[in-house]
Amino acid sequence: MKIFVAENSGFCFGVKKAINKTMEAINEQYKKIYTYGPLIHNKQETDRLSKLGVKSIDNLEEAKDSQVIIRSHGVPLRFYEDAKKYNVEIIDATCPFVRKVQKIAKKFYEEDYQIIIAGNPRHPEVIGINGWCNNSAFIVEDEKDVEKLPISKKICLVAQTTLTLEKWNLIINKLEEKTNELRAFNTICLATKERQKSCAETAKKVDLMIVIGGYHSSNTQKLYNISKKYCEKTIHIETAEELPLKDFHKFNAIGITAGASTPDWIINNVIKKLEDKGGDQDGKQ
Ligand code: SF4
């Protein structure tokens, strides 16, 4: 049984940075530390941080006189003002790719463009970006949403960093039919594209694919869907304990991929369990 680990899997650059900043803060700890919302969509990792004293809050007031880590998704602009009000010291782990989208939204809003965000309106990254243009953005999930939009001024279109290229193309095509005053910024993050591409490549050559990541992680869910297209037998797990070990002898080649918020220690636990069952890792592809 060969084990193939997708070349681009696990923590992306932005999440790695957020975890490193958090670990630095824990090491220097001189005030209570909170994260604004769970630092990443991975329960095992947030449980580990919680044992080290880092709790997640939903309301800044709860963190009065303490330190608060902004996660890689970013926050609305007014969060920084509110932090001053409660004497909260900010540790800003907003991913630089997300910051770029926030800055575009702010700049073009100030130049009187109508901002449109292609993405999920309930996702904290999108809520954050909208907070950089005075919560005035239209948020579209697909091309059908574009049809309903009342367009009366110049448009600036940005994307949630985890949007698929497929959706971006459909949305932009539909918008081009409605306006000829469009500035479009494809702000889809490369890390997402790379993970999806490596996932598809690995899934094509194995007979079982294991996708590791939080059940609430949207990028892990996307990897699962992509994998399923090429490898009928795809399973999604959060930890090594969930591996259905008794069936593994049936497979010749097993592929592994992991969402952008899955820590290496969880991926390594899964590989170790497979090796204990006779798996032979072919190394990173
Ligand atoms: S997926 Fe991309 S934009 Fe999102 S945190 Fe990771 S590197 Fe940053």
Side-chain angles (χ1 to χ4, degrees):
M1 171 174 78
K2 281 252 182 271
I3 305 169
F4 296 94
V5 182
E7 188 183 352
N8 294 295
S9 60
F11 277 178
C12 60
F13 159 78
V15 170
K16 227 177 250 169
K17 194 166 151 271
I19 296 283
N20 288 345
K21 284 203 169 196
T22 306
M23 292 314 294
E24 276 166 26
I26 291 170
N27 291 336
E28 286 173 11
Q29 193 159 8
Y30 63 97
K31 273 184 179 181
K32 283 192 101 170
I33 308 169
Y34 296 94
T35 61
Y36 189 65
L39 190 63
I40 57 174
H41 285 139
N42 185 280
K43 190 179 171 316
Q44 292 70 32
E45 183 69 358
T46 46
D47 283 352
R48 186 181 75 88
L49 293 173
S50 165
K51 283 187 194 127
L52 295 172
V54 179
K55 303 263 186 281
S56 161
I57 50 158
D58 298 317
N59 186 334
L60 253 186
E61 212 175 334
E62 294 171 56
K64 205 166 179 297
D65 306 323
S66 309
Q67 287 184 308
V68 170
I69 299 164
I70 296 176
R71 57 192 173 175
S72 51
H73 297 320
V75 290
L77 193 52
R78 70 163 289 184
F79 184 95
Y80 296 89
E81 281 305 311
D82 290 348
K84 284 186 203 148
K85 214 163 61 195
Y86 297 114
N87 190 32
V88 163
E89 189 184 321
I90 285 178
I91 299 172
D92 199 342
T94 304
C95 176
F97 299 132
V98 175
R99 174 70 85 229
K100 188 177 135 200
V101 195
Q102 295 170 336
K103 283 189 171 164
I104 294 171
K106 182 170 186 293
K107 175 177 186 292
F108 283 86
Y109 169 72
E110 286 169 356
E111 289 176 18
D112 202 30
Y113 278 74
Q114 170 63 53
I115 307 297
I116 300 182
I117 308 169
N120 174 352
R122 293 163 299 281
H123 194 285
E125 180 191 311
V126 173
I127 295 169
I129 296 165
N130 197 10
W132 283 64
C133 57
N134 207 19
N135 295 310
S136 66
F138 291 148
I139 302 170
V140 293
E141 289 195 85
D142 52 36
E143 72 282 11
K144 288 185 213 95
D145 287 345
V146 177
E147 268 170 35
K148 296 176 224 150
L149 291 181
I151 291 179
S152 56
K153 53 179 171 176
K154 303 176 285 187
I155 299 292
C156 167
L157 173 70
V158 293
Q160 181 179 350
T161 55
T162 47
L163 193 80
T164 63
L165 199 55
E166 232 174 336
K167 272 205 179 167
W168 170 259
N169 287 335
L170 290 169
I171 288 170
I172 206 168
N173 288 344
K174 187 51 77 185
L175 258 178
E176 275 167 349
E177 285 171 18
K178 292 190 68 138
T179 177
N180 43 25
E181 285 193 289
L182 172 65
R183 294 286 308 267
F185 297 87
N186 178 346
T187 47
I188 297 174
C189 167
L190 211 58
T192 309
K193 284 187 236 169
E194 282 167 352
R195 258 156 202 71
Q196 293 175 352
K197 191 165 162 254
S198 297
C199 171
E201 279 164 7
T202 309
K204 276 177 197 163
K205 59 182 192 190
V206 297
D207 37 26
L208 169 71
M209 191 69 186
I210 301 169
V211 181
I212 315 166
Y215 291 125
H216 300 294
S217 151
S218 64
N219 79 84
T220 306
Q221 192 57 47
K222 271 177 203 149
L223 290 179
Y224 174 82
N225 294 338
I226 289 169
S227 174
K228 193 89 181 148
K229 264 197 213 165
Y230 301 103
C231 176
E232 179 49 35
K233 189 81 187 145
T234 294
I235 58 171
H236 177 181
I237 57 169
E238 273 195 355
T239 66
E241 284 65 46
E242 293 166 29
L243 282 173
L245 287 174
K246 65 178 174 15
D247 290 334
F248 281 134
H249 61 276
K250 295 185 207 153
F251 303 104
N252 294 320
I254 297 182
I256 294 178
T257 189
S261 47
T262 307
D264 281 353
W265 61 268
I266 294 187
I267 303 171
N268 290 336
N269 282 350
V270 172
I271 296 172
K272 168 100 187 36
K273 276 215 162 180
L274 293 176
E275 283 174 343
D276 289 347
K277 283 276 162 191
D280 171 21
Q281 195 188 340
D282 222 43
K284 292 247 173 187
Q285 286 169 36

